[in-house]
Amino acid sequence: MKQGIRVAFIVVSCLELVMGILEMCNYELPLKRIILWGFFVVYLINMCGNEYTKAEMAAFVVTIILGILLYANTGINTGIKAPVYIMALKGIDRRKLLQCFLWTSVLVAIIIMIGALFFGIGDVHFWVRTKTKGISKACFCLGFSNPNRLQLLIFSMLSCFLLLYGRNSSRIVLVSVGAAYFIMAYLTDCKTGMMIGIFALVAVICVRRVNTAHLSDWIMALFTIGLVFMLIISFLAAAKVEKGFWMEQINRFISGRMNQLEYYTNEEFYNLPYLDSWKLFSDRNNKNGYDMGYIYIFYYYGIIMGAVYLIFVVNAVEKARRKKDSLGMVLIMGLCIYLFMETGYYSNYLTRDFLLMTSSVVLWGNYEEAIHKHIQSDYSN
């Protein structure tokens, strides 16, 4: 019975991921709110079957209270669903979950691409005029709403693959996966995806080759410096500090994403994402969409829940440091860098938040091959 409930958890998680990927192609299933609350019931049942420490339960209760306040103020239910999902993960075979996430993403992406290429379902590419040469270039989206969404999904697949197999894969496999990734980054013309893909692959190679007891400490230091830097730049941009040599250079490097903050992205004139629109538990008028993730998280989810989200991610990295899980640390770092320039993680679909899912799996641990047999033996008892 208990194993069946856990299997249902994995199946439902993958179904929610499928819905999230379809939303990246502008497809919405009817009755999606009812379906997602039904999935939440499965997560809740799994959570109730686990045992927790007092500290874990205290953190859960505090987060749920904050999530209820967010829901009451904005109607956003992520603050209620996410803590339940994360707690339920404690009793799940997390390696099997990651494998299901990876192959579900690959299969759904291939089906969407085939639909666009051979059956005219969605756009195959967009023509974009380059700023430097003034010529038009095809950016392939292959059925997705835009090329950046497609590349974000491809990077999540790469991260999932590296988390599962990055430590023990042969050089040929790593080179093949890397080549496939960079081909997609070239087709989508996504410089962000190209840059962070290079970072992830180089970081994993370094983790495999560097044999030092202090490697995780060095990664923690780099992660902290990088996160603080990205937060400072985001806060300055949200405070409308866009002038000056360094801010202009950074804005140019991230393809002018700071300029996007000046525009309304909905038909209605909702609040712009500047600091004066940030509230403790957000606002029902904070509904515009923007690319700079560290601005968007405080704008859309509120200062309190945005801080809780980032504290959770940092806590996952710190636990990984103590366990010497350098691989998990560098992949969370890659997703955090991606968040600086893209907000495609965030939606009504919980398992599409690739940063949250990766952080949750790394937090609970036990996802690598060496520990997999031990988890399996627990399932058979």
Side-chain angles (χ1 to χ4, degrees), residues 126 139-141 144-152 188-190:
F126 294 106
C139 299
F140 287 83
C141 56
F144 286 78
S145 59
N146 61 66
N148 289 340
R149 287 293 181 93
L150 171 57
Q151 193 60 43
L152 178 64
T188 59
D189 194 34
C190 182

Side-chain angles (χ1 to χ4, degrees), residues 12-195:
V12 165
S13 296
C14 291
L15 288 174
E16 184 163 352
L17 177 59
V18 171
M19 293 175 66
I21 295 173
L22 291 176
E23 194 269 342
M24 296 172 81
C25 308
N26 293 330
Y27 300 139
E28 293 282 357
L29 295 180
L31 303 176
K32 71 172 184 177
R33 291 183 65 86
I34 296 175
I35 295 171
L36 292 176
W37 279 113
F39 291 169
F40 173 74
V41 172
V42 177
Y43 304 150
L44 183 62
I45 292 172
N46 273 272
M47 191 199 85
C48 293
N50 299 332
E51 295 182 0
Y52 304 99
T53 65
K54 291 182 179 179
E56 290 167 353
M57 282 307 300
F60 172 74
V61 170
V62 171
T63 309
I64 281 292
I65 291 172
L66 296 175
I68 292 171
L69 292 173
L70 175 65
Y71 181 72
N73 203 48
T74 64
I76 299 171
N77 54 41
T78 308
I80 298 172
K81 292 181 177 180
V84 171
Y85 188 93
I86 293 166
M87 295 293 276
L89 270 180
K90 186 176 184 179
I92 299 299
D93 184 339
R94 290 173 288 280
R95 181 174 181 80
K96 184 178 290 183
L97 179 67
L98 283 176
Q99 288 173 330
C100 291
F101 277 168
L102 174 59
W103 296 113
T104 297
S105 300
V106 171
L107 181 61
V108 174
I110 289 174
I111 292 172
I112 292 170
M113 292 176 188
I114 290 174
L117 288 170
F118 300 106
F119 300 100
I121 303 174
D123 294 315
V124 175
H125 58 73
F126 294 106
W127 288 100
V128 178
R129 185 173 294 277
T130 59
K131 294 181 180 179
T132 54
K133 298 181 180 180
I135 60 176
S136 294
K137 181 178 181 180
C139 299
F140 287 83
C141 56
L142 300 174
F144 286 78
S145 59
N146 61 66
N148 289 340
R149 287 293 181 93
L150 171 57
Q151 193 60 43
L152 178 64
L153 179 62
I154 299 297
F155 181 75
S156 77
M157 296 179 196
L158 176 67
S159 299
C160 198
F161 173 85
L162 293 175
L163 201 59
L164 285 166
Y165 310 113
R167 200 180 296 275
N168 300 315
S169 293
S170 66
R171 293 179 182 177
I172 295 176
V173 171
L174 276 180
V175 169
S176 300
V177 170
Y181 179 85
F182 292 124
I183 289 171
M184 291 303 303
Y186 175 79
L187 290 174
T188 59
D189 194 34
C190 182
K191 297 179 180 62
T192 300
M194 181 73 76
M195 176 187 69

Side-chain angles (χ1 to χ4, degrees), residues 78 82 86 309 312-313 350 353-361:
T78 308
I86 293 166
Y309 184 98
F312 174 78
V313 172
L350 194 62
D353 187 339
F354 309 123
L355 176 57
L356 182 66
M357 293 297 104
T358 303
S359 299
S360 301
V361 169

Side-chain angles (χ1 to χ4, degrees), residues 95-378:
R95 181 174 181 80
K96 184 178 290 183
L97 179 67
L98 283 176
Q99 288 173 330
C100 291
F101 277 168
L102 174 59
W103 296 113
T104 297
S105 300
V106 171
L107 181 61
V108 174
I110 289 174
I111 292 172
I112 292 170
M113 292 176 188
I114 290 174
L117 288 170
F118 300 106
F119 300 100
I121 303 174
D123 294 315
V124 175
H125 58 73
F126 294 106
W127 288 100
V128 178
R129 185 173 294 277
T130 59
K131 294 181 180 179
T132 54
K133 298 181 180 180
I135 60 176
S136 294
K137 181 178 181 180
C139 299
F140 287 83
C141 56
L142 300 174
F144 286 78
S145 59
N146 61 66
N148 289 340
R149 287 293 181 93
L150 171 57
Q151 193 60 43
L152 178 64
L153 179 62
I154 299 297
F155 181 75
S156 77
M157 296 179 196
L158 176 67
S159 299
C160 198
F161 173 85
L162 293 175
L163 201 59
L164 285 166
Y165 310 113
R167 200 180 296 275
N168 300 315
S169 293
S170 66
R171 293 179 182 177
I172 295 176
V173 171
L174 276 180
V175 169
S176 300
V177 170
Y181 179 85
F182 292 124
I183 289 171
M184 291 303 303
Y186 175 79
L187 290 174
T188 59
D189 194 34
C190 182
K191 297 179 180 62
T192 300
M194 181 73 76
M195 176 187 69
I196 301 177
I198 293 172
F199 166 84
L201 287 165
V202 170
V204 169
I205 292 170
C206 291
V207 166
R208 285 163 55 115
R209 288 182 169 274
V210 176
N211 187 16
T212 172
H214 299 290
L215 178 60
S216 58
D217 296 327
W218 284 106
I219 295 173
M220 187 70 197
L222 290 173
F223 171 80
T224 303
I225 293 170
L227 182 62
V228 170
F229 174 78
M230 290 185 291
L231 286 171
I232 289 173
I233 297 302
S234 298
F235 290 152
L236 288 174
K240 302 181 182 181
V241 181
E242 300 172 3
K243 302 299 181 181
F245 176 78
W246 289 112
M247 288 295 287
E248 290 175 0
Q249 292 301 312
I250 293 170
N251 189 34
R252 186 176 294 111
F253 180 75
I254 61 175
S255 303
R257 283 174 167 85
M258 294 181 190
N259 300 335
Q260 183 197 31
L261 305 177
E262 303 173 2
Y263 300 103
Y264 299 94
T265 60
N266 281 286
E267 293 180 359
E268 297 185 38
F269 289 97
Y270 293 116
N271 295 332
L272 292 174
Y274 295 114
L275 286 180
D276 55 1
S277 296
W278 293 14
K279 305 292 189 297
L280 291 179
F281 291 97
S282 192
D283 189 284
R284 291 183 184 272
N285 287 320
N286 290 7
K287 293 185 179 181
N288 288 311
Y290 299 98
D291 285 337
M292 295 190 68
Y294 293 104
I295 292 178
Y296 186 78
I297 193 173
F298 291 107
Y299 163 76
Y300 186 72
Y301 292 105
I303 297 171
I304 298 295
M305 293 309 292
V308 169
Y309 184 98
L310 294 179
I311 289 170
F312 174 78
V313 172
V314 172
N315 185 44
V317 176
E318 170 58 21
K319 285 207 170 184
R321 184 193 67 81
R322 282 182 266 162
K323 296 175 184 177
K324 307 296 183 183
D325 180 10
S326 302
L327 184 66
M329 294 176 73
V330 296
L331 292 174
I332 291 177
M333 190 189 307
L335 288 162
C336 285
I337 297 171
Y338 220 125
L339 179 63
F340 179 58
M341 293 170 276
E342 293 288 346
T343 56
Y345 306 145
Y346 302 129
S347 69
N348 293 323
Y349 306 100
L350 194 62
T351 54
R352 201 186 85 186
D353 187 339
F354 309 123
L355 176 57
L356 182 66
M357 293 297 104
T358 303
S359 299
S360 301
V361 169
V362 170
L363 177 76
W364 291 120
N366 291 6
Y367 60 86
E368 293 196 70
E369 189 70 50
I371 310 171
H372 184 53
K373 293 180 181 178
H374 172 70
I375 298 174
Q376 286 291 78
S377 66
D378 289 344

